[in-house]
Amino acid sequence: MMKALSSLSSFAVSLLFEIMNIWNTTSDFILLGLFKHTGAHLFLFVMVLTIAFTSLVGNALMIFLIHQDARLHTPMYFLLSQLSLMDMMLVSTIVPKMAADYLTGQKSISPAGCGLQIFFFLTLGGGECFLLAAMSYDRYVAVCHPLRYPILMSWQLCLRMTVGSWFLGAADGLMQAAATLSFPFCDAHEIDHFFCEAPTLVRLACADTVVFEYVMYICCVLMLLVPISLILISYSLILAAVLQMHSREARKKAFATCSSHLCVVGLFYGAAIFIYMRPKSYRSANHDKIVSVFYTIFTPVLNPIIYSLRNSDVKGALRKCMGHWGTSNQD
């Protein structure tokens, strides 16, 4: 792991030096944004801000409950806390800049700011892809091999999967951000999006980007199709085990849990695959913006509801905290 981190650091330094000159000579980009200044779009803007704020509060509450309640100190809830952290950071990377641009009318973003936004977005999005796969493995072991759970899902393995998710996401984010900004850009620096996203920015390049797009496509296969394949295999095995259960109530509960989890996974992966793996000839700026909203704003607010707040252990921890706060206020 240390050798990999050292290699990544050396690669990052060399790439950063190569693109520093381009940053110094490239003027700011203009983000055209998601909304116009009309009544209908103002309503949608307020709704998006409300959803984003709800996402931040819900995910922060999840992290707090998991940290405070000793009963939630298990690998499953640790992975959930990491998912909540990624979702909070993802919303914080996108929404504040989008809101500031809409309210102030100043839509410019520097090349360095654009690069940082690409890096954090891909780090968090890519890390979440692998983290969701790790969570599906955790559920597979819990349902199919409950007696061997402490061995098959040890804390050591849990931490390795978590660190691996962050590392692979950061590696993908660093390479794509640096490579995207290494291209020379044409005079038109208008980005028809509400944040800097690599596929959208590459369209402005005044150079041959075929090789880069091919490499980016391969990265997407590794970052999207491999994890979702593992998720589908895990949940297929879970459903096979559920069908063999004799208890009707247990089957109903397991089906409800699996279906809700798969809905969130389908929304996140479906939108990401639509953006990053669609043929170039079928791409549309308006479609990209709408689909990007789903996995940058809507999915983060669904995760704490689907994965956690419907969970009896989490609801018990919440009631315990509220009771403790109520007792403290009375004293």
Side-chain angles (χ1 to χ4, degrees), residues 242 245-255:
V242 168
M245 293 180 178
H246 299 292
S247 171
R248 182 179 178 182
E249 187 65 26
R251 287 200 305 270
K252 183 178 178 181
K253 182 178 179 181
F255 273 125

Coordinates of all heavy atoms in Angstrom, one line a residue, residues 242 245-255:
V242 N -32.7 -16.1 0.3 CA -34.0 -15.7 0.9 C -35.1 -16.6 0.5 O -36.0 -16.9 1.2 CB -34.3 -14.2 0.5 CG1 -35.7 -13.8 0.8 CG2 -33.3 -13.3 1.2
M245 N -35.8 -19.5 2.6 CA -36.2 -19.3 4.0 C -37.6 -19.8 4.2 O -38.5 -19.6 3.4 CB -36.1 -17.8 4.4 CG -34.7 -17.2 4.4 SD -34.7 -15.4 4.9 CE -33.0 -15.1 4.9
H246 N -37.9 -20.3 5.4 CA -39.2 -20.9 5.7 C -40.2 -19.8 6.2 O -41.4 -19.9 6.1 CB -39.1 -22.0 6.7 CG -38.3 -23.2 6.1 ND1 -38.7 -24.0 5.1 CD2 -37.1 -23.7 6.5 CE1 -37.8 -24.9 4.8 NE2 -36.8 -24.7 5.7
S247 N -39.6 -18.8 6.8 CA -40.4 -17.7 7.5 C -40.8 -16.7 6.4 O -40.0 -16.1 5.7 CB -39.6 -17.0 8.5 OG -40.3 -15.9 9.0
R248 N -42.2 -16.6 6.3 CA -42.7 -15.6 5.3 C -42.3 -14.2 5.7 O -42.0 -13.4 4.8 CB -44.2 -15.8 5.2 CG -44.9 -14.8 4.2 CD -46.4 -15.1 4.2 NE -47.0 -14.2 3.2 CZ -48.3 -14.1 3.0 NH1 -49.1 -14.9 3.7 NH2 -48.8 -13.3 2.2
E249 N -42.3 -13.9 7.0 CA -42.0 -12.5 7.4 C -40.5 -12.2 7.1 O -40.2 -11.1 6.7 CB -42.2 -12.4 8.9 CG -42.1 -11.0 9.5 CD -43.1 -10.0 8.9 OE1 -44.2 -10.5 8.5 OE2 -42.8 -8.8 8.9
A250 N -39.6 -13.2 7.3 CA -38.2 -13.0 7.0 C -38.0 -12.8 5.5 O -37.2 -11.9 5.1 CB -37.4 -14.2 7.5
R251 N -38.7 -13.5 4.7 CA -38.6 -13.3 3.2 C -39.1 -12.0 2.8 O -38.4 -11.3 2.0 CB -39.4 -14.4 2.5 CG -38.8 -15.8 2.5 CD -39.3 -16.6 1.4 NE -40.8 -16.7 1.4 CZ -41.5 -17.6 2.0 NH1 -40.8 -18.6 2.7 NH2 -42.8 -17.6 2.0
K252 N -40.2 -11.5 3.4 CA -40.7 -10.2 3.1 C -39.8 -9.1 3.4 O -39.6 -8.2 2.7 CB -42.1 -10.0 3.8 CG -42.8 -8.7 3.5 CD -44.1 -8.7 4.2 CE -44.8 -7.3 3.9 NZ -46.1 -7.2 4.6
K253 N -39.2 -9.2 4.6 CA -38.2 -8.2 5.1 C -37.0 -8.2 4.2 O -36.5 -7.1 3.9 CB -37.9 -8.5 6.6 CG -36.9 -7.4 7.2 CD -36.6 -7.8 8.6 CE -35.7 -6.7 9.2 NZ -35.4 -7.0 10.6
A254 N -36.5 -9.3 3.9 CA -35.3 -9.4 3.1 C -35.5 -8.9 1.7 O -34.7 -8.1 1.1 CB -34.8 -10.8 3.0
F255 N -36.7 -9.2 1.1 CA -37.0 -8.7 -0.3 C -37.2 -7.2 -0.3 O -36.7 -6.5 -1.2 CB -38.3 -9.3 -0.7 CG -38.2 -10.6 -1.5 CD1 -38.8 -11.8 -1.0 CD2 -37.3 -10.7 -2.6 CE1 -38.7 -13.0 -1.7 CE2 -37.1 -11.9 -3.2 CZ -37.8 -13.1 -2.8

